[in-house]
Amino acid sequence: MRLLFYFTVLFSFMCNAQPTKEITISYGDKIYLGEIESQTHFTISSEFGNKNLKGNKINEFVFAKPGVYKILVEEKNNHKQNECNHEHLPKAITVNVSRIKMVFDDTQLNFSEPIMQNKDTKGITMTIPVTIETYDGMPALMDFTTVHSAGIGSNIIANLDQEKKELPVGKHLLKYSLQGKVTQKSYLMFDFIDANANIQSIALQKQIDN
């Protein structure tokens, strides 16, 4: 009987647990929460006022100004009796809207020399143009978190040149120093970190080979 009670409590907790979610985006951007049922209701609150939306309208809403937006979510429960009531959306979402937009140009990723299989990349530099916009026209502080690669047999990392701690609005060329190697034929992807600590992943078009 006691064991049954514990399982009942655990099942209830799993079904009714409502985690919160936190998202960071740039001003002028939207969020995407997937396909939303038409009866789901959202209340967006911020220092700029309140906004009520239903269904997929949440995915179309533009967060035009920097600030912190709180979203309360009300989902209509369409589950049958005795089924788990776990709702697929959290009860609350915090959207941190940054004053900075930073976009890496995935068409202009270059290396001082090719990355070769089983060859150490130490001494190779990676460059990529980036465009910076800010809501207030002020410079953007750079994030120097190590950039990691993804790919079979790859342990390559990239570190941003720390010569400039911040960059003004405009287009700039960022330079990274590589370390590590690729031990197998592989298609690589680099996870660049923008000024908002978000990842922008860029894949190399050519396979790493001998």
Side-chain angles (χ1 to χ4, degrees), residues 61-128:
F61 181 78
V62 175
F63 293 83
K65 297 180 180 180
V68 178
Y69 296 73
K70 301 288 186 180
I71 304 177
L72 296 181
V73 184
E74 295 180 27
E75 287 188 286
K76 184 176 180 181
N77 186 357
N78 292 321
H79 297 285
K80 297 178 181 178
Q81 189 174 5
N82 298 325
E83 287 185 354
C84 184
N85 281 336
H86 181 73
E87 297 170 347
H88 72 281
L89 288 173
K91 284 291 188 184
I93 302 171
T94 299
V95 182
N96 299 304
V97 180
S98 169
R99 67 178 186 86
I100 302 169
K101 281 181 179 287
M102 185 173 178
V103 179
F104 293 88
D105 186 349
D106 60 355
T107 67
Q108 298 294 323
L109 178 63
N110 287 303
F111 299 88
S112 59
E113 60 181 274
I115 298 174
M116 305 294 289
Q117 184 181 345
N118 291 316
K119 182 179 179 181
D120 197 333
T121 59
K122 186 175 182 180
I124 297 178
T125 57
M126 174 175 67
T127 57
I128 186 169

Side-chain angles (χ1 to χ4, degrees), residues 162-173:
Q162 298 195 23
E163 180 181 354
K164 296 181 179 179
K165 305 297 183 183
E166 61 180 28
L167 291 175
V169 171
K171 192 170 184 177
H172 306 274
L173 188 67

Side-chain angles (χ1 to χ4, degrees), residues 104-115 121-130 145-150 154 156-162 172-179 182 188-193 200-205 208:
F104 293 88
D105 186 349
D106 60 355
T107 67
Q108 298 294 323
L109 178 63
N110 287 303
F111 299 88
S112 59
E113 60 181 274
I115 298 174
T121 59
K122 186 175 182 180
I124 297 178
T125 57
M126 174 175 67
T127 57
I128 186 169
V130 65
T145 303
T146 296
V147 171
H148 290 269
S149 65
S154 176
I156 296 175
I157 60 173
N159 290 297
L160 178 61
D161 186 345
Q162 298 195 23
H172 306 274
L173 188 67
L174 300 185
K175 183 170 70 174
Y176 297 79
S177 299
L178 300 187
Q179 296 179 41
V182 182
L188 294 188
M189 177 182 294
F190 285 90
D191 292 333
F192 290 93
I193 312 296
Q200 295 184 36
S201 297
I202 296 178
L204 275 61
Q205 299 304 307
I208 304 302

